[in-house]
Amino acid sequence: MGSTNSTLLKIPNVEVLMQETGFSPAHIIRLHDRFKALDKEGRGHLCPHDFGAIKELAMNPIGDRIIGAFFSPGKETVDFHTFVKILAHFRPVDKDRPKEPNSPEPINSRSNKLKFAFQLYDQDKDGKISRDELLQVLRAMLGMQVTDEQLESIADRTIQEADLDRDDTISFEEFRKSLEKINIDHKMSIRFLR
Amino acid sequence: SKLSSVFSLSLSLYPVIELNHHVISVVPESGLLIILGFILGGIVWGADKAQTFKLLPPTFFYYLLPQIILDASYFMPNKLFFSNLGSILIYAIFGTCWNAATVGLSLWGCYEAGVMGNLDIGLLQFLLFGSLIAAVDPVAVIAVFEEVHVNEVLFILVFGESLLNDGVTVVLYNVFDAFVALGGPRIDAEEIFKGIFSFVVVAFGGSFLGVVFAVLLSLLTRCTKHIQIIEAGFVFVVGYLAYLTADMLSLSAILSVTFCGICCQKYVNANMDEKSVTTVRHAMKVLANGSETMIFVFLGITAIDTEIWVWNTGFILLTLLFVFIYRIIGVFLLTWMLNKFRLVPIEVIDQVVMSYGGLRGAVAYGLAAMLDKDKIPEKNLIISTTLIVVYFTVILQGITMKPLVQWLKVKRAAHADLKLIEKLNNRAFDHILSAVEDICGRIGDNWWTRGWNRFEENYISWLLMKPKARKNRDYLFSIFHKLNLEDAVNYVSEGERQGSLAFIRSDEVANVDFKKQFGSEFTDVMPDIMVDMSNYELGIENFSVTSIVKDTIPSVSLDIHGKDRKNVADDINAHHLLQQHLYRSRKNHRHKFSRSHFSINQSEDEVQEIFQRTMRSRLESFKSAKMGVNPAKKITKHHKKDLTHKMANGHPDGTDHLYGDEEVEGLSMFLSCLIEAGIENPVFLPAMDSPTHSSLPWLMETDAVAPSQRAQWRLLWTPNRLRRLAPMRVSTCSTDSFLMADLEEHEEKPQTDHEEEM
């Protein structure tokens, strides 16, 4: 246990981190090990190509977008705190957490999980998924056999279904509403991050 | 000759069964083969009034089983296997012991209670029976699970367990056999201790022996450059040798072959000529399929023999019951314990399938047939019961496995009619989850795995792999190599036509099997490229779009006809499209092992497609970023290993990024090494959309537009370029103009044996 504590101490502001994210010390250490493994040059922060070196991500159709989600607009590096905070989105929801009225919503709440997913679509961060952005995602996720016309028709249909205020874009509220039947807690949680 | 006649007879009937796919999808092949065996046995018995065809244990164990195990281990998905090895071992060792003990003891208990009537049998013999009936059989498992597509983790658990439990089975069998010979009273703690000790020796000894032979085989293939024609034979010879040696030393032969296959696959595939690799694969499948067919047919034939049948209702029914129940209990118990330690817990559904998938097969029968009649008077009863258990599990459980799995899945999925956006997002979430799992290092990117990978890369590969194969391990390298091979080939063929390249292309250039050569971790991703040289009938004058857009990447299906389809924006159609074409994520079952297929299946096509697109988009965004950077760096040659780190990655939508000097240099190094090895400019990527004539991009000297493939061709052949290229070293390179400028200051790089590499 001594080594665990000493590793924890090496991470700056680890208490705050644990508080904000809800990760246990064991998890923080595990994520720290992983962070160090990804950061092959030991710079203390990660760049896009560190993520790019993860081979499995290259086989994920939206892998590059997800990598992008780690980097705040304008920044090219991810430090450990940001890394952990983003991953905290994927913690399973704590069902027994008491609802304190004034505390901020935890990072892994259903709403925040949805926001993370929304961001992947909404690349220009204007709070709405435009038809073009949807087309891009569809293109990435569908095989090469699908023609552009087919793609556009799918995109149109999708927007039609979800767009309630008829502005031809999907806002976050519409997004959330259209997915209310889906068990987000289950679909956007990684069990071993509990 | 009897053997061969049965063999030919059964094999010739095999295609008849194959023809009726409807039947196959309901009844697993193995079940049908057993039934076929019944028929054949009936015919023989009718003719001879005695069963002249029998599956003799030596035949089974020495001629039919080894190749099946070799096949299974040679095609084993190693990464999956080793990452689940702990669980597999727990199931194999403790699960089998549990099965053996409980079945044996329960049967004995029932016997003592008088349910079975009068039998000349004792506790030890019950335990012996328990140990031979306990083991899950690899042959049966492969046969049934092939039809039922379950997720890869589940598959590897059952399959791995069936392979590794041989160690336990052999030990238990021999120990109880020896005990039975000794007689009850002479067993004391010493004997029991010897039993446990022998387990250790047999299991680890067998595995170790397998590894030794794997090393031997890898070294052999490393040195066979000049005798490539017989390389393929070594695999079978050494594999069989591993089996026999282990058997000779009374170690676990199955474990020996298993580890031989598992450990050697990587090195053998890297070292051998691609034709040999193909030969080995095909031959392996032929042998394995043939043996499996024969085994099941024989299992059927053996039934039609009045001599062996002894019917004891109690014994047989109770055995069936206990085997079934204790398997379920055992699996659930062990899984409950394992889930406390596993990163990704095993779900209840999977446990149900695992318990139901505990099939017994020919190994159990073989062991039963080997029993000594003098020591075990009730041998025939045991054989009869074993046969019935085998039939029950293979036929009945085999038939019902698929409906069971489907029913369970349907029950879970609760598929209400989802809207398009829900379907889309469901899949997106799967992808997101996979990606985050990978980022977190789901397998446990711990010190051990990293350490082992380093050790393996530095020492073991150095010893066992050909140096050339080692150099080509860089996967990224190989992807670009593959992507650009068609360009290279095109360029070469054109160059020859023009006479501007002073070398003669050999036929070997086109036939590189990347899967073999570069697939150290991506064996399923690397496609087989067989570029048909005759497709390229290009003259400078008659460039036709179709000849280039032609589907030369076998795996990416550019459906040209699709563009003609005029699709009405139909609700049903959109749903259907999503259903059909959404890329599958890791969760959606990528079945990795198959008895009858080793070539690329559809999901591997998808993976390749995704990989290529990702790489292209990364490179393109890198390229667009690089335009603004002054490429004045001197390109120096660096060791390949460093390159894996310095891969450029593009920001998803080409947003500006400032590439630090180090990254530019990194990519320049990377690109230069590609060129150096005779690989083409990765900028020359086939365009995703059809190239357009109109804008004549090749006339623009600025590479502002990512040149389409056609344009890039043209780029080469304007007179200026030709002249620049001519003094370049002779190779199949097509080089990018701005890199050329850098290279001119760089001294002549040695022409590595790229010809051989290609």
Side-chain angles (χ1 to χ4, degrees):
Chain A
M1 271 334 214
S3 65
T4 340
N5 279 333
S6 64
T7 327
L8 268 180
L9 288 174
K10 282 193 206 133
I11 307 168
N13 298 330
V14 70
E15 301 290 334
V16 177
L17 195 59
M18 290 199 291
Q19 175 96 24
E20 278 179 352
T21 60
F23 278 125
S24 67
H27 278 123
I28 300 273
I29 292 176
R30 211 180 142 260
L31 288 174
H32 189 70
D33 281 342
R34 177 60 175 173
F35 185 84
K36 279 199 293 191
L38 288 174
D39 178 18
K40 293 193 173 77
E41 289 152 32
R43 283 173 299 195
H45 55 82
L46 297 176
C47 306
H49 74 66
D50 289 322
F51 285 98
I54 304 174
K55 297 160 197 169
E56 290 84 2
L57 280 181
M59 298 197 289
N60 191 312
I62 47 179
D64 283 348
R65 281 178 183 251
I66 296 168
I67 295 175
F70 277 82
F71 296 85
S72 330
K75 294 193 70 180
E76 281 96 48
T77 60
V78 184
D79 61 357
F80 183 61
H81 274 245
T82 324
F83 183 70
V84 175
K85 281 206 214 132
I86 305 238
L87 289 178
H89 282 99
F90 294 89
R91 279 189 63 232
V93 171
D94 305 313
K95 295 198 184 83
D96 331 307
R97 195 180 47 89
K99 287 192 181 2
E100 294 135 39
N102 290 325
S103 63
E105 224 178 305
I107 300 185
N108 62 339
S109 71
R110 189 176 193 278
S111 172
N112 279 328
K113 286 184 202 274
L114 275 174
K115 272 200 204 135
F116 183 84
F118 188 80
Q119 273 179 346
L120 290 179
Y121 292 92
D122 180 21
Q123 291 285 319
D124 59 5
K125 313 247 184 282
D126 62 352
K128 295 179 187 298
I129 304 176
S130 69
R131 187 171 176 275
D132 273 335
E133 288 168 337
L134 187 61
L135 268 178
Q136 279 173 30
V137 177
L138 278 173
R139 177 78 276 171
M141 287 187 33
L142 285 166
M144 295 296 296
Q145 302 97 314
V146 181
T147 65
D148 286 339
E149 293 102 41
Q150 290 170 327
L151 216 59
E152 294 192 8
S153 77
I154 297 177
D156 288 330
R157 289 247 137 231
T158 309
I159 293 187
Q160 247 185 357
E161 281 175 353
D163 189 14
L164 301 166
D165 58 5
R166 308 264 152 239
D167 62 353
D168 228 20
T169 62
I170 304 179
S171 69
F172 180 64
E173 274 312 311
E174 292 164 347
F175 185 71
R176 185 217 291 265
K177 202 152 197 325
S178 67
L179 296 179
E180 49 189 12
K181 279 197 281 178
I182 298 198
N183 183 355
I184 301 288
D185 295 336
H186 181 75
K187 297 230 102 190
M188 292 262 290
S189 297
I190 298 183
R191 273 170 298 192
F192 60 80
L193 288 180
R194 186 179 302 277
Chain B
S1 73
K2 278 187 195 159
L3 196 68
S4 48
S5 49
V6 172
F7 179 52
S8 8
L9 191 62
S10 49
L11 278 191
S12 55
L13 286 167
Y14 191 62
V16 172
I17 299 175
E18 274 296 345
L19 285 175
N20 198 340
H21 284 290
H22 180 68
V23 182
I24 291 283
S25 59
V26 174
V27 185
E29 238 169 72
S30 41
L32 284 177
L33 288 169
I34 291 184
I35 295 174
L36 176 68
F38 288 151
I39 299 173
L40 282 176
I43 296 174
V44 172
W45 194 73
D48 289 352
K49 292 287 178 268
Q51 188 50 265
T52 38
F53 284 97
K54 270 185 205 270
L55 180 58
L56 299 168
T59 315
F60 172 68
F61 282 113
Y62 292 116
Y63 301 121
L64 293 175
L65 187 61
Q67 51 265 44
I68 296 181
I69 308 292
L70 186 61
D71 169 70
S73 58
Y74 193 77
F75 290 100
M76 174 80 78
N78 271 357
K79 247 194 172 171
L80 200 59
F81 179 73
F82 283 110
S83 60
N84 287 295
L85 188 60
S87 314
I88 293 178
L89 280 173
I90 298 284
Y91 284 117
I93 300 177
F94 294 107
T96 313
C97 287
W98 161 267
N99 279 337
T102 51
V103 170
L105 287 172
S106 315
L107 281 175
W108 178 67
C110 292
Y111 173 68
E112 293 293 322
V115 181
M116 295 178 205
N118 264 338
L119 294 169
D120 186 3
I121 201 166
L123 169 63
L124 283 173
Q125 297 180 25
F126 275 116
L127 285 173
L128 179 58
F129 175 62
S131 67
L132 69 87
I133 203 80
V136 175
D137 186 87
V139 181
V141 164
I142 298 174
V144 171
F145 272 71
E146 168 123 356
E147 283 300 314
V148 179
H149 293 290
V150 296
N151 69 62
E152 51 189 26
V153 173
L154 175 57
F155 176 74
I156 203 71
L157 286 174
V158 183
F159 185 48
E161 181 202 337
S162 69
L163 281 178
L164 294 187
N165 66 19
D166 181 63
V168 180
T169 309
V170 164
V171 172
L172 283 178
Y173 182 82
N174 287 326
V175 161
F176 285 119
D177 204 31
F179 282 1
V180 165
L182 277 182
R186 308 248 301 267
I187 299 173
D188 51 11
E190 186 199 334
E191 297 290 333
I192 296 181
F193 178 71
K194 273 207 263 182
I196 297 179
F197 180 69
S198 72
F199 164 71
V200 175
V201 169
V202 164
F204 286 103
S207 317
F208 178 69
L209 196 61
V211 175
V212 165
F213 276 102
V215 170
L216 175 67
L217 183 57
S218 314
L219 285 173
L220 269 175
T221 49
R222 186 185 163 167
C223 312
T224 52
K225 190 167 162 194
H226 301 291
I227 40 169
Q228 280 175 348
I229 200 76
I230 59 168
E231 268 183 325
F234 282 128
V235 177
F236 297 97
V237 167
V238 175
Y240 196 46
L241 198 59
Y243 187 87
L244 290 179
T245 314
D247 198 65
M248 194 175 69
L249 297 172
S250 304
L251 302 173
S252 166
I254 292 186
L255 279 183
S256 171
V257 173
T258 304
F259 279 97
C260 181
I262 286 178
C263 297
C264 82
Q265 27 159 291
K266 177 173 168 179
Y267 306 107
V268 164
N269 283 334
N271 288 342
M272 288 204 298
D273 179 51
E274 62 268 9
K275 294 190 190 108
S276 305
V277 171
T278 314
T279 310
V280 167
R281 289 172 150 175
H282 277 106
M284 199 89 76
K285 289 297 181 191
V286 168
L287 285 175
N289 268 301
S291 300
E292 191 188 301
T293 309
M294 283 180 68
I295 288 177
F296 283 115
V297 170
F298 262 122
L299 275 178
I301 294 181
T302 322
I304 317 294
D305 184 358
T306 45
E307 285 175 9
I308 59 162
W309 283 103
V310 176
W311 187 271
N312 181 321
T313 321
F315 191 87
I316 292 178
L317 286 177
L318 283 171
T319 308
L320 278 174
L321 182 72
F322 289 139
V323 157
F324 193 66
I325 292 186
Y326 284 121
R327 169 75 182 168
I328 298 179
I329 298 179
V331 166
F332 275 84
L333 252 178
L334 284 174
T335 314
W336 174 75
M337 282 192 323
L338 272 176
N339 276 345
K340 294 193 195 287
F341 300 101
R342 278 180 64 96
L343 275 180
V344 181
I346 300 170
E347 305 178 6
V348 176
I349 307 289
D350 294 342
Q351 293 172 44
V352 170
V353 178
M354 237 196 297
S355 8
Y356 204 68
L359 309 171
R360 274 54 172 188
V363 174
Y365 172 74
L367 290 173
M370 280 196 330
L371 290 172
D372 188 344
K373 188 105 193 243
D374 302 320
K375 285 189 242 161
I376 299 160
E378 296 290 347
K379 175 179 168 180
N380 280 335
L381 174 61
I382 291 183
I383 292 185
S384 314
T385 317
T386 310
L387 278 175
I388 296 202
V389 171
V390 170
Y391 297 146
F392 185 82
T393 53
V394 172
I395 300 180
L396 249 128
Q397 279 179 238
I399 293 181
T400 50
M401 175 79 87
K402 204 166 171 190
L404 176 72
V405 169
Q406 283 172 346
W407 176 70
L408 288 173
K409 270 197 236 165
V410 170
K411 213 172 166 221
R412 278 185 78 207
H415 240 190
D417 262 332
L418 292 176
K419 295 188 283 182
L420 280 176
I421 192 163
E422 287 170 310
K423 280 190 186 166
L424 183 67
N425 276 299
N426 261 337
R427 189 52 55 85
F429 291 147
D430 283 343
H431 287 306
I432 296 175
L433 216 50
S434 301
V436 176
E437 280 179 352
D438 292 325
I439 292 177
C440 287
R442 63 194 179 114
I443 309 279
D445 194 28
N446 53 31
W447 188 83
W448 288 105
T449 49
R450 268 181 285 142
W452 166 257
N453 281 332
R454 245 196 316 264
F455 174 72
E456 197 270 335
E457 229 172 78
N458 291 334
Y459 298 104
I460 301 185
S461 295
W462 171 84
L463 178 67
L464 298 177
M465 254 200 229
K466 278 187 185 153
K468 220 178 301 160
R470 249 189 309 137
K471 221 171 28 143
N472 294 333
R473 260 181 326 182
D474 190 331
Y475 76 101
L476 190 61
F477 196 119
S478 52
I479 280 291
F480 287 123
H481 189 160
K482 179 257 160 200
L483 276 180
N484 291 286
L485 185 66
E486 323 117 57
D487 288 308
V489 165
N490 294 344
Y491 175 65
V492 167
S493 65
E494 266 323 295
E496 273 185 83
R497 230 175 248 277
Q498 297 301 309
S500 62
L501 298 173
F503 71 101
I504 298 165
R505 164 183 50 88
S506 73
D507 268 347
E508 304 311 296
V509 172
N511 290 337
V512 183
D513 183 341
F514 289 94
K515 198 162 179 161
K516 175 278 298 186
Q517 213 168 1
F518 303 116
S520 52
E521 277 157 278
F522 283 112
T523 36
D524 2 2
V525 179
M526 299 299 123
D528 286 49
I529 268 215
M530 294 293 165
V531 179
D532 184 1
M533 294 311 296
S534 65
N535 286 344
Y536 295 96
E537 324 238 1
L538 308 165
I540 269 200
E541 295 74 40
N542 41 340
F543 252 95
S544 58
V545 177
T546 48
S547 64
I548 300 179
V549 171
K550 187 190 283 250
D551 190 7
T552 51
I553 311 174
S555 56
V556 177
S557 40
L558 287 169
D559 187 2
I560 302 184
H561 300 302
K563 294 198 203 291
D564 303 332
R565 263 189 256 130
K566 295 285 180 243
N567 275 313
V568 185
D570 213 8
D571 205 25
I572 308 161
N573 193 47
H575 278 274
H576 178 71
L577 280 173
L578 274 189
Q579 204 76 27
Q580 291 289 310
H581 297 295
L582 271 177
Y583 285 132
R584 295 191 282 168
S585 72
R586 200 160 47 218
K587 281 176 110 181
N588 311 110
H589 316 323
R590 296 222 184 100
H591 193 59
K592 280 188 183 172
F593 176 79
S594 160
R595 168 45 49 75
S596 37
H597 301 97
F598 58 78
S599 49
I600 303 166
N601 63 35
Q602 201 219 350
S603 64
E604 288 169 357
D605 281 346
E606 273 185 13
V607 169
Q608 285 169 42
E609 208 176 277
I610 301 172
F611 194 93
Q612 286 165 21
R613 289 167 83 176
T614 312
M615 287 300 154
R616 274 181 214 156
S617 73
R618 285 182 186 178
L619 262 186
E620 276 172 19
S621 53
F622 168 77
K623 229 183 69 81
S624 54
K626 198 178 182 202
M627 294 309 164
V629 182
N630 182 8
K633 295 252 164 227
K634 181 153 173 126
I635 301 168
T636 51
K637 192 170 164 187
H638 269 247
H639 190 59
K640 287 276 179 328
K641 260 190 236 164
D642 303 336
L643 287 180
T644 38
H645 312 322
K646 305 209 175 185
M647 189 195 107
N649 183 13
H651 221 49
D653 302 285
T655 51
D656 280 20
H657 23 221
L658 319 155
Y659 272 90
D661 282 349
E662 54 195 34
E663 290 168 40
V664 174
E665 180 168 305
L667 193 74
S668 312
M669 277 193 280
F670 170 70
L671 288 172
S672 68
C673 283
L674 290 185
I675 293 170
E676 183 259 335
I679 309 307
E680 302 53 48
N681 179 10
V683 169
F684 279 34
L685 300 172
M688 298 241 293
D689 20 43
S690 43
T692 50
H693 280 270
S694 41
S695 53
L696 303 183
W698 59 85
L699 290 181
M700 304 195 294
E701 285 299 299
T702 64
D703 295 346
V705 185
S708 71
Q709 188 174 12
R710 277 192 69 228
Q712 290 160 13
W713 281 80
R714 281 289 180 172
L715 244 168
L716 284 182
W717 295 343
T718 54
N720 283 334
R721 307 279 181 183
L722 268 181
R723 249 181 279 128
R724 281 181 87 186
L725 287 172
M728 268 296 284
R729 62 191 184 87
V730 173
S731 73
T732 51
C733 291
S734 48
T735 44
D736 185 320
S737 53
F738 53 86
L739 278 176
M740 280 268 328
D742 302 332
L743 287 172
E744 262 149 24
E745 12 180 58
H746 189 76
E747 63 206 321
E748 194 77 43
K749 295 196 197 90
Q751 173 155 3
T752 52
D753 23 318
H754 87 94
E755 231 104 16
E756 293 166 45
E757 275 177 346
M758 305 283 274

